[in-house]
Amino acid sequence: MADKYKAILQTELQNNDLPQSAKMVLDYLDKLKNFPLIIAITGESGSGKSTLVNALRGIRNRTEGAAPTGVVETTVEPTEYVHPEMPNIRIWDLPGVGTTNFTADKYLEYVGFEKYDFFIIVSSDRFRENDAKLAKEIQRMNKKFYFVRSKIDHNVRDEKEENPNFNEEDLLKLIRDNCTKELQDLGFESPKVFLVSCFKLHLYKFEDLCKTLMEELPEHQRDVLLLALPNISLDVIKRKKETLGSKIMWLSAASAAGAAVPVPGLSAGVDLSIIVSCVIQCAISLGLTPGLLQKLSDVTGVSLEDLKAELKSPLAGVKITSALVLQVLTRSAAYILATTVEEGARLVPVIGTVVAMSLSCATTYKALKYILNTLAEDTQRVFIKALGLNSPV
């Protein structure tokens, strides 16, 4: 998709259709932001699949909008849950194939397998014949699937009660090896099994699952998933920053094209609109909106006040408005000077337009890079505080 839009953009710039170029760039970025991703999660009754649905959406069990959980099977039919911040991401909680009267092929027909981009098959103890049959049927239909062994925190806790001196890595290897052997016995030559605690995604091997998805999903689905993931590690935060940063050149190009239109004040208005939209997306993806900080506080038990104390950027932890962004930008003497010179350059025939475009592009680029850098730094500090990583324990 990116190459197609680059080619169109080049053609429109060559034809000097600059307003259309700006519109095309913004249209492309809007398509990226709203690119759909549909995830299916299935598994045996009580395996923790509904808890995983909630964890991926960044909310706790038994809170408003959460998938119902319990000691008995609570998912009796396919149920869709929309990501609370990114409605283009939809996670389906499916009944376990062992809890229905369908064979694996009929089960996939029943749940409408065509609409899902990939499947996560969850087990809390061992993978069974039903799981294997389902995986093979998914594979036959050319869809991706991933085995997740859940409730690893329960296994670690139980082992610690039995033997306080146990080696956690040895236990994890034993569980992974057992799951791998089970699946090999069921006909999978080299199965990948990811060990996960749905209550503590930053622990164990959930990040390995994410890395595998980043490698195997198409580019746009990969970016959508990455920006929607909870902040489970500093590496994920770094990847989010890089992905958001890759959009800045496109936004700067839209800014430059908008600056070519000979209407006083129009460029500044376009630039502000571009910057505000980008700041909102960054705050959502990095988990720095008021609502997402509150959810992080709920999940981790760290007070909202303590999390907010780690924020340095005036654009973090607050509602983003045009007035607030403009207020932040106008604190910069360089920004004021650049926008003033840009408006003045527009009065110079021919060459003035080129100068105005260059200044608009550079000013927008520098402003967005600075904002993204400061928000990412805040995210890292909040993450460290939330998980107690700066604690001696």
Side-chain angles (χ1 to χ4, degrees):
M1 185 186 290
D3 291 340
K4 170 189 170 185
Y5 271 84
K6 284 178 184 176
I8 296 173
L9 176 61
Q10 186 176 18
T11 300
E12 289 176 347
L13 288 173
Q14 288 172 347
N15 294 335
N16 207 31
D17 192 352
L18 297 172
Q20 181 60 27
S21 299
K23 180 180 181 301
M24 190 277 295
V25 170
L26 295 176
D27 177 61
Y28 168 65
L29 292 172
D30 187 61
K31 285 182 182 297
L32 286 186
K33 188 170 64 175
N34 295 296
F35 200 88
L37 181 65
I38 315 297
I39 304 169
I41 298 181
T42 185
E44 294 279 336
S45 173
S47 62
K49 59 184 185 295
S50 297
T51 298
L52 180 58
V53 169
N54 294 331
L56 291 173
R57 297 167 66 230
I59 59 178
R60 296 179 66 184
N61 290 345
R62 295 183 173 83
T63 57
E64 184 178 358
T69 58
V71 294
V72 297
E73 176 66 20
T74 55
T75 306
V76 295
E77 60 183 26
T79 307
E80 180 187 57
Y81 294 93
V82 179
H83 192 284
E85 307 297 334
M86 300 182 184
N88 53 314
I89 297 180
R90 297 169 183 269
I91 305 174
W92 283 78
D93 190 358
L94 306 182
V97 65
T99 61
T100 70
N101 294 321
F102 299 106
T103 57
D105 57 336
K106 295 299 183 183
Y107 171 87
L108 287 176
E109 183 180 331
Y110 165 64
V111 301
F113 83 96
E114 302 94 342
K115 62 179 171 237
Y116 308 115
D117 293 302
F118 63 89
F119 291 75
I120 295 177
I121 303 173
V122 185
S123 174
S124 60
D125 45 32
R126 59 188 298 270
F127 291 98
R128 294 174 169 80
E129 187 176 0
N130 280 331
D131 299 316
K133 287 180 178 178
L134 179 59
K136 288 176 181 177
E137 193 64 25
I138 295 170
Q139 190 174 50
R140 188 180 70 80
M141 295 176 174
N142 295 317
K143 294 278 188 175
K144 295 285 188 181
F145 63 90
Y146 304 91
F147 292 111
V148 164
R149 170 62 161 78
S150 65
K151 300 187 181 181
I152 296 300
D153 51 328
H154 293 188
N155 299 122
V156 171
R157 180 197 62 203
D158 293 345
E159 185 68 20
K160 191 171 185 178
E161 289 180 358
E162 290 286 335
N163 177 16
N165 299 317
F166 85 107
N167 184 290
E168 184 172 303
E169 283 303 317
D170 288 345
L171 175 65
L172 298 180
K173 183 178 184 303
L174 177 64
I175 294 172
R176 185 169 52 250
D177 289 349
N178 283 345
C179 289
T180 300
K181 185 178 184 307
E182 289 167 1
L183 290 168
Q184 287 173 337
D185 291 343
L186 291 168
F188 293 91
E189 184 176 343
S190 301
K192 290 183 179 179
V193 180
F194 301 94
L195 311 186
V196 170
S197 163
C198 298
F199 291 111
K200 299 176 182 178
L201 293 181
H202 63 285
L203 298 179
Y204 313 117
K205 300 301 178 181
F206 181 74
E207 187 171 2
D208 287 352
L209 170 61
C210 295
K211 288 178 180 178
T212 301
L213 290 170
M214 295 302 110
E215 293 169 358
E216 297 186 356
L217 289 177
E219 177 185 356
H220 299 305
Q221 290 181 349
R222 179 186 68 216
D223 290 349
V224 167
L225 178 61
L226 174 64
L227 295 180
L229 280 175
N231 293 325
I232 58 171
S233 71
L234 292 174
D235 183 61
V236 165
I237 295 171
K238 178 184 176 183
R239 287 171 176 247
K240 286 187 178 186
K241 179 184 174 183
E242 291 170 351
T243 299
L244 291 166
S246 68
K247 304 181 189 307
I248 289 178
M249 283 305 301
W250 284 94
L251 292 168
S252 301
S255 171
V261 182
V263 177
L266 177 64
S267 177
V270 170
D271 289 352
L272 181 59
S273 174
I274 288 172
I275 293 172
V276 169
S277 176
C278 185
V279 172
I280 291 173
Q281 185 181 15
C282 289
I284 291 174
S285 298
L286 294 171
L288 294 178
T289 67
L292 289 173
L293 287 172
Q294 182 62 65
K295 287 179 181 178
L296 180 61
S297 173
D298 294 340
V299 169
T300 62
V302 178
S303 73
L304 182 60
E305 291 73 19
D306 285 346
L307 295 179
K308 284 189 171 183
E310 301 298 319
L311 303 176
K312 307 298 181 186
S313 170
L315 297 172
V318 296
K319 181 179 179 181
I320 305 299
T321 65
S322 297
L324 175 61
V325 173
L326 185 60
Q327 180 184 359
V328 171
L329 292 174
T330 51
R331 291 176 187 171
S332 166
Y335 180 82
I336 296 172
L337 177 61
T339 51
T340 303
V341 172
E342 179 192 332
E343 288 299 322
R346 211 182 305 280
L347 302 175
V348 181
V350 185
I351 189 66
T353 298
V354 176
V355 173
M357 290 176 66
S358 298
L359 281 171
S360 182
C361 179
T363 303
T364 299
Y365 178 82
K366 289 180 179 178
L368 289 176
K369 285 290 286 186
Y370 172 75
I371 289 170
L372 175 59
N373 287 340
T374 55
L375 290 177
E377 289 169 3
D378 277 357
T379 303
Q380 291 172 346
R381 283 191 291 269
V382 167
F383 175 78
I384 290 169
K385 182 68 176 180
L387 299 184
L389 299 183
N390 55 355
S391 164
V393 180

